[in-house]
Amino acid sequence: QVQFVTSGGGLVQPGGSLRLSCVCFGCTFRSYAMSWYRQTPGKQRELVASITSSGSTTYADSVKARFAISRDDAKNTVYLQMNSLEAEDTAVYFCNAKAPWITYWGQGTQVTVSS
């Protein structure tokens, strides 16, 4: 059974940093393009960052130069390093794994940026 487990969220002050992790159990991790999404109440889930199986990355304009997505295929893990956090980054963050034949979502992790 394939399962994605997300961790690393929490409360941080503006300007602070957090690193989110998403680990895949039971999957062929290197086959998937991995992404991070976030969602706030009443809004649609939005794409934050993506990384392909070959390591190419894309970012939402709102997080460019502040966030970095990376993957460690040996550990079946994708990371989201978030720096210079702003109140507007407060959301539930989800990892997403996509292959041509299937898509998986991890459980969300809450990130709250507040003083």
Side-chain angles (χ1 to χ4, degrees):
Q1 181 178 355
V2 175
Q3 186 179 13
F4 288 84
V5 178
T6 308
S7 63
L11 173 64
V12 63
Q13 291 187 340
S17 298
L18 283 174
R19 189 177 80 157
L20 306 182
S21 300
C22 177
V23 183
C24 175
F25 297 95
C27 75
T28 51
F29 183 77
R30 64 182 68 248
S31 299
Y32 297 102
M34 300 298 299
S35 298
W36 288 96
Y37 286 74
R38 66 187 181 187
Q39 188 169 24
T40 54
K43 293 188 177 181
Q44 285 190 330
R45 198 168 291 188
E46 68 168 337
L47 178 63
V48 176
S50 295
I51 185 167
T52 67
S53 57
S54 60
S56 296
T57 59
T58 57
Y59 297 92
D61 288 343
S62 60
V63 306
K64 279 181 182 176
R66 299 189 299 121
F67 290 10
I69 188 171
S70 61
R71 63 189 296 158
D72 185 337
D73 289 347
K75 296 183 178 179
N76 285 4
T77 303
V78 62
Y79 303 97
L80 184 68
Q81 177 67 43
M82 304 185 294
N83 300 323
S84 302
L85 282 161
E86 305 169 351
E88 292 73 23
D89 297 316
T90 296
V92 178
Y93 285 71
F94 300 86
C95 71
N96 169 280
K98 187 174 296 184
W101 57 91
I102 201 166
T103 296
Y104 293 103
W105 290 93
Q107 91 282 10
T109 185
Q110 176 71 47
V111 171
T112 302
V113 184
S114 175
S115 56

